Amino acid sequence: MKLKSSRVKKILREGGICYGTMLRMLRTPQAVALCASQHWDYVILDTEHNDYDLETLSNFCLASKYVDMDLYVRVPDKLYHQMAQMLDVGAEGLILPQVRTDEEARRIINATKYAPLGKRGVSLSETVTLFGDYSQAAYTQWANEELMNIIQIESEEGVNNVGKILSNKGIDAVMIGPADMSQDMGISGQLEHPRLEEAFHEIIEQCNKYDVAPGIHFSKMEYVEKWVKEGMRFVTYSYDSKFIKDAYSESLQKLRSFKPAQTLV
């Protein structure tokens, strides 16, 4: 069996748009198969704001090896052990929050890429290889080529430094955090504010300059439609609990609208 190739990298190389979603609540690895059955390009496990433990993450990563969908982990912070360990247990890429400076970008690359690109410690993951036998050279080359680094620009400082950040080889995509960015700018939740939209356009421009995929996370379809037209190519839409709540609400409204049969008195 060959080591798994990145579905997202293939699509991006061909100039396409990738669509993914986020898991915050579901704990069963069957959620990976569920998302893959609906043909998402990727799914994100959010450990920045939620409480997935290492065993659960490892089980999700194992399940991802059997489906044509990438699985990424959003780490709580950009610490070596959080980044490298997630890749060792089988994540196919990382979402890296609150990247603000060129120095942070270089630290990310050192932790996630093997030499000569970085300084990640070598360990051939049995989850990644599915217990197959691979040489160290083959494994490290595969990891450097196929594993995704997706950084989050979520502040004015990050926007101001975006060109320097993206000039580092080893960053594949940006996923803008619009909620945090609006908070940082003092326009909390105003996702159509001109200052915020100007920042989005600057990130798109710099991403295109450095051949990095520009992306964003939204939970409103009209925002996605608008920004795909503006050039976003790595688009994360909504998350598990919101999908469930929306489906419950829509169904219950329909159920309560049904008219009962006339009762004979």
Side-chain angles (χ1 to χ4, degrees):
M1 180 179 290
K2 292 183 179 179
L3 292 167
K4 183 179 175 182
S5 297
S6 169
R7 174 187 176 96
V8 166
K9 281 203 170 185
K10 181 177 185 297
I11 293 170
L12 293 176
R13 280 195 300 264
E14 295 171 351
I17 302 171
C18 295
Y19 293 101
T21 191
M22 187 176 290
L23 299 178
R24 296 179 173 179
M25 177 189 71
L26 296 178
R27 291 293 185 272
T28 171
Q30 290 172 315
V32 174
L34 173 63
C35 291
S37 75
Q38 300 307 302
H39 308 292
W40 290 102
D41 297 312
Y42 63 91
V43 67
I44 298 168
L45 301 179
D46 182 15
T47 70
E48 182 188 10
H49 299 298
N50 295 281
D51 58 349
Y52 287 111
D53 61 27
L54 190 59
E55 182 177 1
T56 300
L57 292 169
S58 181
N59 289 335
F60 271 73
C61 290
L62 178 61
S64 76
K65 300 299 170 278
Y66 296 93
V67 297
D68 183 22
M69 178 185 71
D70 290 5
L71 183 143
Y72 307 137
V73 174
R74 177 156 70 176
V75 292
D77 201 355
K78 301 166 292 295
L79 303 176
Y80 176 85
H81 71 281
Q82 293 175 341
M83 293 185 280
Q85 186 178 45
M86 286 301 97
L87 298 177
D88 285 338
V89 301
E92 291 153 1
L94 301 177
I95 311 294
L96 300 143
Q98 295 289 353
V99 177
R100 297 171 179 267
T101 67
D102 171 60
E103 189 277 331
E104 286 183 317
R106 285 186 276 112
R107 189 164 71 243
I108 287 166
I109 293 162
N110 277 336
T112 59
K113 297 296 183 183
Y114 292 116
L117 298 179
K119 299 179 180 179
R120 179 183 168 194
V122 178
S123 174
L124 276 65
S125 165
E126 292 174 335
T127 297
V128 172
T129 63
L130 294 177
F131 296 90
D133 295 321
Y134 295 89
S135 71
Q136 178 174 318
Y139 181 86
T140 55
Q141 180 180 350
W142 164 85
N144 279 352
E145 292 176 354
E146 297 296 331
L147 300 180
M148 291 277 290
N149 277 334
I150 303 106
I151 66 165
Q152 291 203 265
I153 305 293
E154 306 183 85
S155 66
E156 283 193 285
E157 183 181 8
V159 175
N160 292 337
N161 291 324
V162 66
K164 291 180 180 179
I165 291 169
L166 298 182
S167 67
N168 292 279
K169 181 177 174 58
I171 296 170
D172 300 292
V174 170
M175 189 176 85
I176 297 169
D180 279 323
M181 189 178 290
S182 69
Q183 188 78 16
D184 184 74
M185 290 181 170
I187 49 173
S188 181
Q190 299 180 52
L191 302 190
E192 297 176 273
H193 194 284
R195 285 177 57 208
L196 198 65
E197 294 193 347
E198 182 181 356
F200 293 174
H201 281 122
E202 173 65 14
I203 292 169
I204 292 170
E205 180 180 341
Q206 293 298 321
C207 281
N208 291 338
K209 177 180 177 180
Y210 289 101
D211 195 26
V212 173
I216 198 160
H217 183 201
F218 281 130
S219 294
K220 288 189 176 182
M221 194 65 73
E222 58 266 33
Y223 291 161
V224 173
E225 182 179 15
K226 173 180 179 177
W227 286 101
V228 165
K229 291 178 180 177
E230 296 290 335
M232 297 294 187
R233 298 177 54 223
F234 183 89
V235 180
T236 305
Y237 180 69
S238 200
Y239 47 93
D240 51 6
S241 57
K242 188 173 190 308
F243 275 120
I244 294 169
K245 286 170 58 180
D246 288 348
Y248 281 173
S249 178
E250 179 182 354
S251 296
L252 190 56
Q253 286 181 31
K254 288 181 179 179
L255 289 169
R256 296 201 188 281
S257 72
F258 296 160
K259 304 300 180 185
Q262 296 295 322
T263 304
L264 297 177
V265 179

